[in-house]
Amino acid sequence: MVRQPLSKRANKYLRKFRKWPHSPYKTPWHHNFGQQQAMQKLKQATLEMGFSQEPQTANLPHPFLLSTLIDSFKAYSCDPTPKAYYFVIKTLTNTSQLQDIPALLDHLEHLEKFETPESVLVYLIRFYGLSDKVQDAVDLFFRIPRFRCTPTVCSLNLVLSLLCRKREYLKMVPDILLKSQHMNIRIEESTFRVLIKALCRIKRVGYAIKMLNCMIEDGYGLDETICSSIISSLCEQDDLTSGEAMIIWRDMRKVGFCPGVRDYTNMIRFLVKEGKGMDALDVLNQQKQDGIKPDVVHYTMVLSGLVAEGEYVKLDQLFDEILVFGVVPDVYTYNVYINGLCKQNNIDEAFKIVASMEELECKPNVVTCNTLLGALCLAGDLRKAREVMKEMGWKGVGLNLHSYRIMLDGLVGKGEIGEACFLLEEMLEKCLFPRSSSFDNIIFQMCQKGLIAEAIELTKKIVAKSFVPGARTWEALLLKSGFKQGFSETTVFGLLGQN
DNA sequence: ATAGGGTTAG
């Protein structure tokens, strides 16, 4: 590992690299010296008492650190510094000695004279908020002025962001905003940013958008990161429809939002997921106009959206465009396109694409094969489907659950019960279960053919694997076995008993 | 600078 030179890593607030020396005129040097000595004493005493700065190491009860603080400073006859309080507060929080904090705060409030730095209180507010003591955090926020400290937007933003972490606290936000006005805290753009991002995080996009509009009305400049947050959460929620999302997208662009790649990706993904392939295509075209070159992923998503909408002409155009623009399609892209061809029942063309994939050294995968298998089974071409399955074997494309289910349904659909049972055995060995409707279908067909004993055997086997057959299985078994005396009670109810 | 983002299945 290459280390950076110390000077580059250095924090300029560390004494060694401090830009400005402590101002000598405020405190006489000896007073300052005394305070430093007292601080040393405090730190030393803290260590000796077994406090450690490492969190969660102290579990013994400790003497009250506040007295140590006071004693240390008394010994050098000087006043405790804010720094000393900060040190004690940090020690207490790091060692989970929270019970001592209220007394310390009371002392700080009533017996000290100095202006408490906001950062000290901010530290404690954040600590409370993050350790699920939100009410304590809020109380401390309101109490800030009593520590002779003028709260700024920093504290406000912190409290707001803490409240926004959980829905249950969200209702406190308006009250805090109102009261903060009485505390003379000026709301800033950053406050809006905190609130909007928090709303986005908890997927209240509607409110986030309203707030964005307020910001715009109040004359704040458009913040791109806020827009991006809104777009991103817009795309994750399901309260707003894709139509509403499109309107919001358009309005944002109207007021000058320039989406980035991420925004385009999110938007396209959302539209495709909502079945709006043509809208996704629109957005893709905007992206090109904005000079952001779509990559394979963008194209692949839009292609799949077009397949879903059955827009095959657009599909072909876009697939051609990919090649023209020099974007290299990958398995995902080909799979989507092949799926499109299969949906059009153009299986021959699909196989041609597979062949060209192999020429281009883009190896077909399970998804490719499953797509072909599905199309072949649907077309009733079991011969070819079997071939594809065999090929998967030698090409090292492992069959997955879906491959088996597709093939099983293909066989059952064609009434190939013997072969279906054979495949089912193979599945059960691998602990891959059929869809229950497929199993029901097999049993139903077996019963139709009078293979009742076999049907019961198979049901037993699958029930033993704690698979629950559907109603149709039981119905088929009961109806058929009812013809043979005693079968229904002894066998079928026996099966039921196993579960 | 890099990874991850995207595909099939009634």
Side-chain angles (χ1 to χ4, degrees):
Chain A
M1 193 183 84
V2 185
R3 267 178 173 265
Q4 278 186 350
L6 203 56
S7 61
K8 281 202 177 159
R9 282 191 297 148
N11 175 340
K12 64 173 183 284
Y13 297 105
L14 289 179
R15 189 167 37 175
K16 188 168 182 184
F17 302 101
R18 191 186 285 277
K19 281 195 163 172
W20 301 280
H22 285 293
S23 57
Y25 54 87
K26 265 191 182 164
T27 48
W29 76 266
H30 53 270
H31 185 229
N32 204 343
F33 182 72
Q35 286 180 335
Q36 279 179 25
Q37 292 295 301
M39 193 68 200
Q40 280 308 316
K41 190 176 159 69
L42 171 62
K43 285 187 180 174
Q44 189 60 40
T46 309
L47 277 179
E48 281 164 12
M49 281 152 61
F51 280 100
S52 151
Q53 283 298 304
E54 301 297 314
Q56 287 151 6
T57 47
N59 34 24
L60 306 164
H62 287 282
F64 190 22
L65 257 193
L66 177 61
S67 339
T68 318
L69 182 154
I70 295 165
D71 293 345
S72 305
F73 280 80
K74 210 178 263 170
Y76 290 91
S77 41
C78 51
D79 300 323
T81 56
K83 237 174 133 181
Y85 276 92
Y86 190 29
F87 172 79
V88 170
I89 289 175
K90 274 212 278 206
T91 307
L92 291 176
T93 54
N94 283 342
T95 54
S96 308
Q97 305 283 310
L98 305 189
Q99 71 285 354
D100 289 347
I101 291 178
L104 181 130
L105 288 176
D106 285 343
H107 192 93
L108 181 58
E109 179 185 335
H110 297 115
L111 296 163
E112 297 297 350
K113 297 276 180 301
F114 58 75
E115 248 179 52
T116 308
E118 191 180 18
S119 57
V120 173
L121 301 166
V122 157
Y123 171 84
L124 195 52
I125 292 173
R126 177 175 290 117
F127 176 82
Y128 278 144
L130 298 182
S131 35
D132 230 13
K133 298 180 183 303
V134 174
Q135 192 54 55
D136 288 338
V138 171
D139 293 344
L140 186 55
F141 167 72
F142 286 130
R143 200 175 158 193
I144 292 177
R146 286 164 34 198
F147 298 102
R148 301 158 300 281
C149 168
T150 313
T152 70
V153 74
C154 290
S155 308
L156 175 64
N157 287 354
L158 171 61
V159 171
L160 291 175
S161 64
L162 292 173
L163 291 178
C164 292
R165 291 173 80 233
K166 281 197 181 162
R167 271 166 206 264
E168 48 183 306
Y169 298 125
L170 209 62
K171 55 179 180 294
M172 294 167 76
V173 167
D175 185 49
I176 301 271
L177 281 173
L178 212 64
K179 287 190 177 144
S180 71
Q181 296 304 291
H182 301 141
M183 292 164 80
N184 278 326
I185 301 177
R186 244 177 60 106
I187 288 183
E188 286 182 7
E189 195 177 347
S190 57
T191 314
F192 280 108
R193 199 175 301 137
V194 167
L195 287 173
I196 294 179
K197 291 206 169 170
L199 288 168
C200 288
R201 232 185 2 255
I202 61 165
K203 307 213 166 58
R204 296 291 186 100
V205 207
Y207 292 128
I209 291 162
K210 272 187 196 141
M211 200 162 279
L212 176 70
N213 290 333
C214 288
M215 272 184 86
I216 293 170
E217 276 166 26
D218 283 3
Y220 287 107
L222 192 76
D223 184 307
E224 304 265 320
T225 68
I226 288 181
C227 293
S228 288
S229 304
I230 289 180
I231 292 302
S232 131
S233 69
L234 188 67
C235 296
E236 284 168 6
Q237 52 79 52
D238 38 25
D239 299 342
L240 296 186
T241 64
S242 54
E244 290 166 320
M246 277 300 264
I247 291 169
I248 291 158
W249 171 262
R250 203 189 46 215
D251 289 349
M252 277 189 185
R253 282 168 58 87
K254 253 188 226 158
V255 293
F257 171 51
C258 300
V261 220
R262 277 265 163 238
D263 304 313
Y264 279 110
T265 312
N266 284 334
M267 198 60 188
I268 291 172
R269 191 199 300 117
F270 174 66
L271 292 170
V272 170
K273 197 181 75 200
E274 298 286 300
K276 298 286 183 227
M278 288 301 272
D279 285 342
L281 183 62
D282 270 352
V283 173
L284 185 81
N285 286 329
Q286 289 169 18
Q287 180 176 346
K288 285 184 286 187
Q289 278 166 21
D290 281 1
I292 301 177
K293 192 180 169 189
D295 64 13
V296 228
V297 178
H298 295 120
Y299 277 113
T300 307
M301 287 190 291
V302 177
L303 286 175
S304 74
L306 293 174
V307 172
E309 280 201 283
E311 292 284 352
Y312 300 120
V313 177
K314 293 277 180 199
L315 175 71
D316 283 337
Q317 284 173 358
L318 196 64
F319 193 69
D320 287 343
E321 184 185 305
I322 294 177
L323 305 174
V324 172
F325 284 3
V327 174
V328 184
D330 60 14
V331 223
Y332 289 89
T333 323
Y334 284 117
N335 286 345
V336 170
Y337 189 62
I338 289 168
N339 186 232
L341 291 170
C342 289
K343 288 253 161 75
Q344 295 170 80
N345 210 11
N346 194 349
I347 303 181
D348 291 340
E349 191 60 28
F351 272 99
K352 278 185 196 155
I353 299 287
V354 174
S356 71
M357 280 171 78
E358 282 165 332
E359 275 170 31
L360 293 167
E361 312 224 332
C362 174
K363 277 171 76 180
N365 63 12
V366 225
V367 176
T368 325
C369 298
N370 288 352
T371 308
L372 294 171
L373 276 179
L376 291 168
C377 286
L378 196 69
D381 193 346
L382 285 185
R383 194 185 52 80
K384 248 190 163 166
R386 287 187 198 103
E387 245 169 59
V388 169
M389 240 178 102
K390 277 205 197 92
E391 262 181 68
M392 288 171 81
W394 1 292
K395 293 195 174 156
V397 180
L399 298 163
N400 65 14
L401 174 66
H402 301 300
S403 327
Y404 279 106
R405 285 182 171 177
I406 293 165
M407 196 61 198
L408 187 70
D409 286 350
L411 292 169
V412 176
K414 276 260 170 175
E416 300 278 355
I417 291 306
E419 206 179 331
C421 285
F422 194 74
L423 195 68
L424 183 58
E425 289 285 339
E426 206 179 313
M427 288 175 73
L428 294 182
E429 270 167 36
K430 299 186 178 178
C431 283
L432 301 174
F433 290 101
R435 268 189 291 268
S436 95
S437 62
S438 319
F439 183 75
D440 290 355
N441 227 329
I442 294 174
I443 297 297
F444 178 76
Q445 290 195 37
M446 283 176 128
C447 289
Q448 292 269 302
K449 291 186 179 168
L451 303 167
I452 294 141
E454 288 85 346
I456 289 171
E457 238 0 83
L458 189 59
T459 308
K460 262 188 194 165
K461 208 176 277 173
I462 199 155
V463 166
K465 296 225 172 202
S466 58
F467 176 91
V468 185
R472 224 172 138 225
T473 292
W474 303 117
E475 193 183 293
L477 286 174
L478 280 168
L479 278 177
K480 282 294 165 180
S481 57
F483 292 121
K484 297 194 179 179
Q485 266 306 321
F487 231 50
S488 54
E489 289 87 26
T490 54
T491 320
V492 178
F493 291 112
L495 280 173
L496 282 167
Q498 285 185 25
N499 247 349

